[in-house]
Structures are given as structure tokens and as C-alpha cells.
Amino acid sequence: MDGRIANLSMKLDVYRAMSPEQSLADCPIRDVIQTISGRWSSLLMSALAERSYRFGELRRLVPDISQRMLTQTLGELQRDGYVHREVFPTKPPKVEYSLTEFGRSMYGALEHLLHWAEVNHGGVRQARRRFDEAKNAALT
Amino acid sequence: MDGRIANLSMKLDVYRAMSPEQSLADCPIRDVIQTISGRWSSLLMSALAERSYRFGELRRLVPDISQRMLTQTLGELQRDGYVHREVFPTKPPKVEYSLTEFGRSMYGALEHLLHWAEVNHGGVRQARRRFDEAKNAALT
DNA sequence: AGTGTTGGTCTCAATATGAGAGCAACAATC
DNA sequence: GATTGTTGCTCTCATATTGAGACCAACACT
């Protein structure tokens, strides 16, 4: 990976969008990023990018998510327009979740970050080890 | 923006990396993403991508972050190798934070998502409005 | 009748975050 | 020389947010 930033015209301007010289507190990007950066959001987006899933399937696919957070996160992703929820009134009920076109568009951008994480998790682990060792050494 | 996914060979495989057919609970990508997707991480990365900042400068730049979370988030970003922290032993002390090359590399991937958010925050707001209206209508 | 499956919600404990005070060591001001 | 201000933190305590698990209705299967 190279360390260059693709488009230098962005940078912090990205976060300042629409409110030049103003505080970053009410920045619209933060509002959008907040949902995406939820603890389970990228994982569920990643799953749904592969194919549609039922509620219970997602639950089994992500073993350590609580049912409560699965419901809630899917609800947020649906509200922001990334996920489509379709109820089939069978008994027992069947609810299918899938990505919308908008969601696929967003995933196209998120994917870069996930891919970077996949390639570089070794580097992160190494950095953590170094940091923790330096900290312990300082305590001597 | 088009809705296509750039590289179909990834998808969920990204999250399954290193543990095929296994649960997603101990996926290394989740470990890496967790820090990046912290509430303040992308905002601080975005600021530091522009230039180096001192602690107090970041505090003023992001008015609604608590000092506690600023310290903590910068510490996590440093531990994962994205941020360099340099202390100048002046009185009063001066601490400068900057991106490492590794951090710039990560920001190169994160940037796509931030840019998407900038371009599409209108769409998200619209989706939310529609969702909330449909919900209210259902309560009639 | 009993057991299991479905997608939820509700309650309550654990955890994470925010608001604000306190702190040591000086510099500048009055 | 006493006050005031600055720095980058850390500590405490109130408030969100999240997790663990019970409970639910409506059926199918044994």
C-alpha cells in the first residue's frame, strides 16, 4: 500500500463541508458516518452485500451480536436507506433483509476500508505490540 | 455515484478472512475496524490528515469532544500505529499529534467513505424522512 | 400435550461516554 | 509576590449505550 492521499483537495474540508470556518459539531458528514460506524454496521453491510439474509440467519452468522442490537442496527440501516426489509406473513414469520441500490453505493465506499483492514491487520497488531512493550518498559 | 461493487471477489469474504467457514466473532478485520469506527476516530484522522495539531488545538477544533475522549481516542489511534505523539518538554508542555505513514495509508481508504458521506448526506436525510413519515402514517 | 421455530420487545445489569473538577509547573500581569 | 492563565492530562460521578436473558404469539411437528 502506498501512503499517499489520493485527493489532496479533500482532507479536513470533507468534514467542514457546508460550513466553512465553522465548527465541526454540526457537520452533516458526522451525522452520516455515525450510523455507518456503529459497532455492527459494517459487519452487517458486509454480510448483506454478499446476499439477502433472514433475521435468524444473520443472528447465526454473527454469533456474538445480541438479538436486541441486531434488530436495532438493522433498523438504523433501514432508516438511512441502505437496507430493505421485507416481511413475508407466513407462520412462523419470515423477514428478509437486503441491500438497496443506495446501500450498495455506500458499500462500494466502505469496501475500501474493509479491504485495507484485511491487508493491514498484521501491521496494526504489530504496532499495538510495540506500543504496549514500550509502555511496559517505561514502567521499569 | 453508481451502485456497483468494485471488486466482487471480496464481499463477505473480507470479514471471513483467515477463518473460512468459521464464525465471524474473532475476525481480525473487526479488531482493526473497531478502533477506526470509534465515534471520534474518523474526525480526528481527518483533522490530522490536513496537518499536525497540538492537543489544545484539536480540542478547540472539535468543540463537542470531551477532554477525556480526546485523550483516549488519540491514545488508541497512536497504539494502532496511525498517529505519532511527540512531547516537547517546555513549560507549559507541548504535545503534537501527527499522522504516521501507516496512518496516511489508512486514511487513504477511509477517505472514500468520508467522501461518499459528503456527497450523499442529502440522500440519507431524505431516506430518514421517508422512513419516519411511513412509520407515523402506520400509527394512524 | 409437549417441544421447537420465527422475529420481535421488555427488563435489568454491565459498560462506555460526557461534564466537570483537580493538578503540577511554570509565565505574565498587576 | 499574589493573582491569573496556560498546558495536557487524570479522577470522580451522572448519564447513555449495550449485552444477557426472559417473555411473547402463532403455528408445525412429534
Side-chain angles (χ1 to χ4, degrees), chain A residues 116 120-136, chain B residues 28 30-36 41 44-45 48 70-86 97-100 102-103 106:
Chain A
W116 187 94
N120 292 95
H121 71 260
V124 171
R125 282 163 47 87
Q126 190 181 350
R128 283 182 191 161
R129 218 176 319 120
R130 264 206 277 266
F131 182 89
D132 294 343
E133 280 169 10
K135 197 175 174 183
N136 287 339
Chain B
R30 284 180 52 177
D31 188 40
V32 175
I33 291 293
Q34 185 159 356
T35 303
I36 300 172
S41 301
L44 293 177
M45 287 295 299
L48 293 173
L70 182 53
T71 302
Q72 183 178 312
T73 306
L74 286 171
E76 286 168 6
L77 294 175
Q78 185 195 357
R79 189 171 104 103
D80 282 15
Y82 306 132
V83 162
H84 174 69
R85 177 179 185 268
E86 189 157 10
Y97 294 90
S98 56
L99 285 198
T100 61
F102 194 59
M106 190 273 268

Side-chain angles (χ1 to χ4, degrees), chain B residues 9-122:
Chain B
S9 75
M10 307 211 303
K11 302 174 300 182
L12 192 57
D13 300 333
V14 162
Y15 257 115
R16 280 214 191 89
M18 308 282 99
S19 57
E21 297 299 353
Q22 205 188 330
S23 85
L24 296 176
D26 47 1
C27 164
I29 297 189
R30 284 180 52 177
D31 188 40
V32 175
I33 291 293
Q34 185 159 356
T35 303
I36 300 172
S37 73
R39 178 165 180 189
W40 303 104
S41 301
S42 64
L43 182 50
L44 293 177
M45 287 295 299
S46 182
L48 293 173
E50 192 190 25
R51 65 172 177 89
S52 297
Y53 279 98
R54 297 183 55 181
F55 186 88
E57 288 176 326
L58 285 171
R59 196 161 148 53
R60 284 185 291 272
L61 191 64
V62 186
D64 56 343
I65 193 176
S66 68
Q67 204 164 0
R68 192 176 157 286
M69 287 314 291
L70 182 53
T71 302
Q72 183 178 312
T73 306
L74 286 171
E76 286 168 6
L77 294 175
Q78 185 195 357
R79 189 171 104 103
D80 282 15
Y82 306 132
V83 162
H84 174 69
R85 177 179 185 268
E86 189 157 10
V87 182
F88 300 89
T90 57
K91 304 294 173 59
K94 174 178 171 180
V95 181
E96 233 185 41
Y97 294 90
S98 56
L99 285 198
T100 61
E101 270 312 301
F102 194 59
R104 285 190 191 286
S105 163
M106 190 273 268
Y107 186 72
L110 174 61
E111 204 175 26
H112 293 277
L113 193 59
L114 299 180
H115 184 242
W116 187 94
E118 180 187 14
V119 172
N120 292 95
H121 70 259

Side-chain angles (χ1 to χ4, degrees), chain A residues 51-118:
Chain A
R51 64 172 178 88
S52 298
Y53 279 98
R54 298 183 54 180
F55 185 88
E57 288 177 324
L58 286 171
R59 194 159 148 55
R60 283 186 291 273
L61 191 64
V62 186
D64 57 342
I65 192 175
S66 67
Q67 203 164 357
R68 192 177 156 286
M69 287 313 292
L70 182 54
T71 302
Q72 182 178 313
T73 306
L74 286 171
E76 287 168 5
L77 293 175
Q78 186 194 356
R79 188 171 104 103
D80 282 15
Y82 307 132
V83 162
H84 174 69
R85 177 179 185 267
E86 188 158 10
V87 182
F88 299 89
T90 57
K91 303 292 172 60
K94 174 180 172 179
V95 181
E96 233 184 42
Y97 293 90
S98 56
L99 285 198
T100 61
E101 271 311 302
F102 193 60
R104 283 188 192 288
S105 163
M106 189 274 269
Y107 186 73
L110 173 61
E111 204 175 27
H112 292 276
L113 192 60
L114 299 180
H115 184 242
W116 187 94
E118 181 188 14

